[in-house]
Amino acid sequence: MFLILGAGPAGCAAATVLARAGRDVLLVDALPEPAAAIGESLLPFGTRVLDAMGVDMSGFIVKHGAVFTRGDLNVRFPFAESARRTYTHAWEVPRDDFDARLRKVALEAGARFQLAKARRVDLERKVLVTDEGEIPYDTFVDAAGRRKFLARQLGEIDLHPDLKNAAIHGQFNGVGHPEPSVVGDIAITEFDGGWFWFIPFADGRTSVGLVMTPTSGITGPAESRWTQGLERCAQARRRLADSTRIGRIGGVQDFTSYARRFSGDGWALAGDAAMFLDPVFSSGVLFALETGWTLGEALRDGGDLAAWEQGMRDAARPMELAVLSFYDGTFLDVACAPRGLQKQRFRRAIISLLAGDLFAPGNDVSRRMAEKFQWLAGLLERAPS
């Protein structure tokens, strides 16, 4: 029996593959229904797994592009201009609704569900110890998110040496989405020490988050940090000028971390339980879907899990390089450069990276682009004004 801890994107993707193949699959989750979570902005190339699962995406606002701002500069990247136009849009999704649809697909495929809170895994006896008792398994998959349940138990988590950021976030009505944004676009507004995200939903709400670097100097309770962030970011203040907040400001920390191993004897990790990158390029759900789906295929077919892990790490590397380039400023140096200085092939490659085109064998457009931000920024610095 396959026991999958966590009925989110990674867990439901893996469960769907295995259950459709006739395997006995038990999804275990601490919540009877999915809850709101960050990770609300999807990437176009995540559509591959959503289509394979058959997830109903009706009613979600369509996301056609991303807008980045630096000071008074705004630049929009439409996904339709990527190097490969296999998928040209994504969606902005309230996660409680989205995750409920994924869970529905997995259960309809034949997976079973049990409500329980995991305490620890006994790898020798092959049982999951929960508040509802022990659950035996043949193969255990940790897909329970950023807490990295099993990797933490094993003491095998590597925090990123450079990406040690924190975030606070909330939801608002009446947020402005000025040009060049079009309906459904995510906006990233940068300031010295961090950035804000703006993710619109179909019902008029907007998810707004503030990400702060360790050197930002922004400290104190969440409300105080929110105020300090707004004081530094005129773009965010303008967007929120006529808004009304819904509920409280929440927070998360230490985004970027990797498990040292993604699998072992009788167990494997998927989604955030294996790796999670800083959210600036919205890659979390993309990697959750891909790691979950491809892990399910590997487990179904008796595949090489070491090769699967290497493939996922290789796919994540270009995104990690792009994230680092965002924080050292070179991504925005290139992205916000005058259009006359932007070669079309580089712009298309940037959009491919932002669209999540990372997994196709032999396609290295995103990787090559991610490696060029420092070089291109240097060229722009030396270009005649």
Side-chain angles (χ1 to χ4, degrees):
M1 185 261 283
F2 292 92
L3 194 164
I4 300 176
L5 179 65
C12 288
T16 300
V17 173
L18 292 166
R20 284 179 180 168
R23 306 298 201 273
D24 183 15
V25 180
L26 178 65
L27 274 169
V28 175
D29 201 283
L31 298 176
E33 301 291 341
I38 62 169
E40 301 143 325
S41 192
L42 307 187
L43 297 186
F45 278 80
T47 305
R48 185 190 83 84
V49 174
L50 295 175
D51 283 351
M53 292 181 70
V55 180
D56 174 18
M57 300 299 288
S58 63
F60 293 134
I61 195 169
V62 177
K63 172 186 175 183
H64 290 288
V67 173
F68 290 85
T69 77
R70 169 184 271 180
D72 291 328
L73 293 174
N74 295 268
V75 61
R76 181 174 185 267
F77 291 101
F79 297 132
E81 295 180 13
S82 61
R84 288 199 316 147
R85 302 179 188 183
T86 312
Y87 304 104
T88 59
H89 70 271
W91 295 267
E92 314 286 19
V93 296
R95 283 291 302 277
D96 51 353
D97 186 353
F98 177 66
D99 287 15
R101 299 186 194 200
L102 295 173
R103 189 180 295 192
K104 180 175 183 288
V105 168
L107 297 181
E108 288 176 346
R112 297 177 291 122
F113 178 81
Q114 182 168 336
L115 181 66
K117 184 173 182 179
R119 302 298 189 191
R120 62 183 178 87
V121 185
D122 189 326
L123 295 174
E124 290 188 3
R125 295 170 52 228
K126 289 194 170 184
V127 296
L128 175 67
V129 181
T130 79
D131 60 349
E132 298 293 325
E134 295 185 345
I135 307 174
Y137 63 83
D138 297 302
T139 301
F140 174 76
V141 175
D142 180 8
R146 286 193 313 278
R147 63 175 174 150
K148 290 182 170 55
F149 173 77
L150 181 53
R152 190 172 300 279
Q153 177 182 311
L154 296 173
E156 295 195 5
I157 300 174
D158 284 328
L159 299 178
H160 198 283
D162 300 308
L163 299 171
K164 299 178 179 179
N165 303 321
I168 52 179
H169 57 94
Q171 293 192 354
F172 294 76
N173 284 324
V175 173
H177 300 281
E179 293 183 351
S181 293
V182 301
V183 174
D185 283 353
I186 186 175
I188 303 296
T189 64
E190 182 239 23
F191 66 91
D192 183 20
W195 54 276
F196 282 86
W197 76 67
F198 293 85
I199 301 172
F201 297 143
D203 63 3
R205 290 177 297 149
T206 297
S207 169
V208 185
L210 164 62
V211 177
M212 300 152 286
T213 67
T215 59
S216 68
I218 296 176
T219 60
E223 294 288 349
S224 174
R225 285 184 286 166
W226 190 263
T227 300
Q228 293 172 63
L230 286 176
E231 287 173 348
R232 297 191 190 184
C233 188
Q235 289 264 11
R237 291 199 304 274
R238 286 195 288 269
R239 289 170 181 267
L240 291 170
D242 298 318
S243 69
T244 303
R245 195 173 82 201
I246 308 165
R248 65 181 185 87
I249 298 292
V252 291
Q253 282 187 263
D254 292 336
F255 286 123
T256 304
S257 61
Y258 293 81
R260 291 175 194 154
R261 293 182 290 160
F262 289 4
S263 66
D265 182 18
W267 61 267
L269 312 176
D272 296 353
M275 60 181 179
F276 183 75
L277 280 170
D278 184 280
V280 66
F281 295 129
S282 304
S283 61
V285 174
L286 171 74
F287 283 116
L289 291 170
E290 277 288 340
T291 58
W293 187 262
T294 53
L295 174 62
E297 291 177 323
L299 293 173
R300 177 195 65 194
D301 301 335
D304 182 348
L305 292 188
W308 162 78
E309 175 181 340
Q310 191 59 54
M312 293 300 101
R313 289 186 186 273
D314 289 346
R317 182 57 178 164
M319 192 63 77
E320 180 184 356
L321 289 174
V323 169
L324 290 168
S325 295
F326 176 85
Y327 284 103
D328 70 22
T330 53
F331 171 83
L332 287 177
D333 288 344
V334 175
C336 294
R339 289 296 293 272
L341 296 178
Q342 291 185 9
K343 290 190 176 181
Q344 188 62 18
R345 72 177 186 274
F346 291 140
R347 179 175 169 81
R348 287 162 60 86
I350 290 173
I351 296 172
S352 295
L353 184 59
L354 295 176
D357 190 0
L358 304 166
F359 301 96
N363 174 40
D364 64 351
V365 170
S366 294
R367 177 188 61 78
R368 287 187 286 113
M369 185 65 238
E371 293 171 347
K372 282 184 168 66
F373 286 115
Q374 299 271 351
W375 173 68
L376 288 172
L379 289 181
L380 289 167
E381 187 176 355
R382 296 189 295 272
S385 57

